[in-house]
Amino acid sequence: MPGEFDLIRRYFHAHTTHTVLGVGDDGALLQPRPDMQLVVSTDMLVSGTHFFADADPFLLGWKTAAVNVSDMAAMGANPRWITLALALPAIDEPWLGGFARGFRDCCEAYCVDWIGGDTTRGPLNLCATVFGEVPAGEAIRRDGALHGDDIWVSGWPGMAALGLGQLRGELQLLSGWEESCLERLHRPMPRVALGIALRGIATAMLDISDGLLGDLSHILDASGVGAMIEETALPVETLLAACKRTEQVMAALLGGGDDYELLFCAPRERRGQVEALARHLELPLNRIGRILDKSGLWIQRGNGVCEAISVQGFDHFKS
Amino acid sequence: MPGEFDLIRRYFHAHTTHTVLGVGDDGALLQPRPDMQLVVSTDMLVSGTHFFADADPFLLGWKTAAVNVSDMAAMGANPRWITLALALPAIDEPWLGGFARGFRDCCEAYCVDWIGGDTTRGPLNLCATVFGEVPAGEAIRRDGALHGDDIWVSGWPGMAALGLGQLRGELQLLSGWEESCLERLHRPMPRVALGIALRGIATAMLDISDGLLGDLSHILDASGVGAMIEETALPVETLLAACKRTEQVMAALLGGGDDYELLFCAPRERRGQVEALARHLELPLNRIGRILDKSGLWIQRGNGVCEAISVQGFDHFKS
């Protein structure tokens, strides 16, 4: 049975392109570029809470890196380095090989150097910490939304939740849609290029990991504002093509996490720039509402009626 | 039952002194100082592997921070920022309060800003990532040991292992020593001042977490050299005052981890500087051997006989 150090060497050795010293010492060595601020985020994924115990190791490796990379996108930062600590119940070499390949593939796809980590015995637990660079003062935080700002969302929020519903047997996707919904669930593509492009445009931003409404409420709380969502502006078409039940589609769109789409606010006068970005990135950017100066979260129904809505984000400790 | 976000706010809010943006956004924001390289290290502590399930939460919090801070000391870096991700089986507020207090106390003792983290439900797991600064090119790595260098160790390696042996009922400490050995086990004091002072003096360094011999072998492997340890130079006096059984003392000194003392190499001509440092820091620094140009690890017994020795470091995956 190989020891810890052999294990680390065998699977955790990764080629680095912009790191002074990678895996193998007490710490890795980085040289941040001049005038850059560093953005740091850490995410812990636990078997049974964040993924099924029998999850495909390659996809799990990808996702472990991706959810962290997405936090960089959400700040408008360029992801640069990542560490990975993991606890494993036993050595399962095929599993480790698949996991490391998925993690490494995602790192390479986003030009992130995998610079170190830790391995120990214990119930399966994956903890990555990612570092990004952003020019000083240009990070896009949650606390900058202003009265009158438009609220935008990227891509197709809710597709991952539809895929999860299908896996759990809670809903039935229409023919041909299972694969694309599961792809979104298992292999999210963080919106790094969009996040970086929104520097100087977005006033507030985050990535949707707990659900659109739940995450929007974080922006509202941090910025001390409220919001009105326009029901008819929500990007439901693709979701309704995958699943005919409107109620399930709306629950997935407003409450589902795991897509890692970006939710951001921008002044009205930036609309043209945001629309140009959508064309340039070939990515739908939908304007779904606006920031209010009174607190609270409201939805304007198709019939024009406005209703206060409550947030039911996914919360790991709520019963 | 409070939700995840309330929890994070209540216990993870920490005063920062040198951070642009701390807990609460998608990532924390740091501004590394000009001409500094960043040292990054991550450590995962698992219940049952690294600590007893009923461990005192305050001490566990302290140790979770301390083992990470020690990795910065081991590179000659100044620890500056730390993140903490933890999985908890349930919300136990007194436990969380004690743990957060211990973690925060250690951070404050070493002027480290606690800048963010993650909380989730799962088997108890603590994962911290620490960031230190070191002037570009001055980090003390493992791969710089040269033939003829002295080998030094700080403090009293083995005391924590004696404390652990007492807890496990494997040995009996002499009257009055239990408290100090357990203090070393539960509340290690990383040698940050020493690590920083050794910039430009030490050719290779690490902190002893897996045992003196096991960790020395990492330096030897990385540097492509061997070593001769002088048995009579080993700092056994204090340990023998705590425990009369020489065999147990030697096992603790050579194989015990958890003290987080520094093990380093330095050229012969630096002896005066190292000795001056010991006086200045009021910390024993013992010269315990020398680097050889042939590979392998040897011990010179008190009778002058040299024997090859094998390494039995603590290895989390060795059966």
Side-chain angles (χ1 to χ4, degrees), chain B residues 79-94:
Chain B
R80 299 271 288 164
W81 299 281
I82 196 164
T83 63
L84 173 69
L86 71 173
L88 301 169
I91 291 183
D92 176 342
E93 298 223 19

Side-chain angles (χ1 to χ4, degrees), chain A residues 12 64 82-86 99 103 114 116-119 126-129, chain B residues 42:
Chain A
F12 282 30
T64 302
I82 197 165
T83 63
L84 173 68
L86 71 173
F99 181 86
F103 191 85
W114 182 5
D118 193 16
T119 330
L126 313 163
C127 184
T129 305
Chain B
T42 189

Side-chain angles (χ1 to χ4, degrees), chain A residues 4 25 28 44 118 131 142, chain B residues 25 40 44 118 131 142 315:
Chain A
E4 181 186 8
D25 213 302
M44 181 175 268
D118 193 16
F131 321 95
R142 301 179 171 190
Chain B
D25 214 302
V40 179
M44 182 175 268
D118 193 15
F131 320 96
R142 299 179 173 190
D315 191 328

Side-chain angles (χ1 to χ4, degrees), chain A residues 173-237:
Chain A
L173 293 178
L174 294 171
S175 170
W177 283 94
E178 183 168 346
E179 194 183 348
S180 48
C181 288
L182 289 180
E183 174 85 5
R184 304 269 302 151
L185 176 66
H186 291 313
R187 199 169 164 149
M189 299 294 293
R191 304 297 190 193
V192 171
L194 174 62
I196 291 172
L198 285 169
R199 289 178 194 160
I201 296 174
T203 53
M205 183 159 65
L206 46 60
D207 64 327
I208 301 177
S209 55
D210 293 321
L212 194 156
L213 292 186
D215 284 315
L216 176 56
S217 75
H218 298 322
I219 287 182
L220 304 184
D221 290 347
S223 301
V225 294
M228 175 73 74
I229 298 295
E230 291 166 42
E231 193 176 42
T232 57
L234 291 168
V236 292
E237 292 80 5

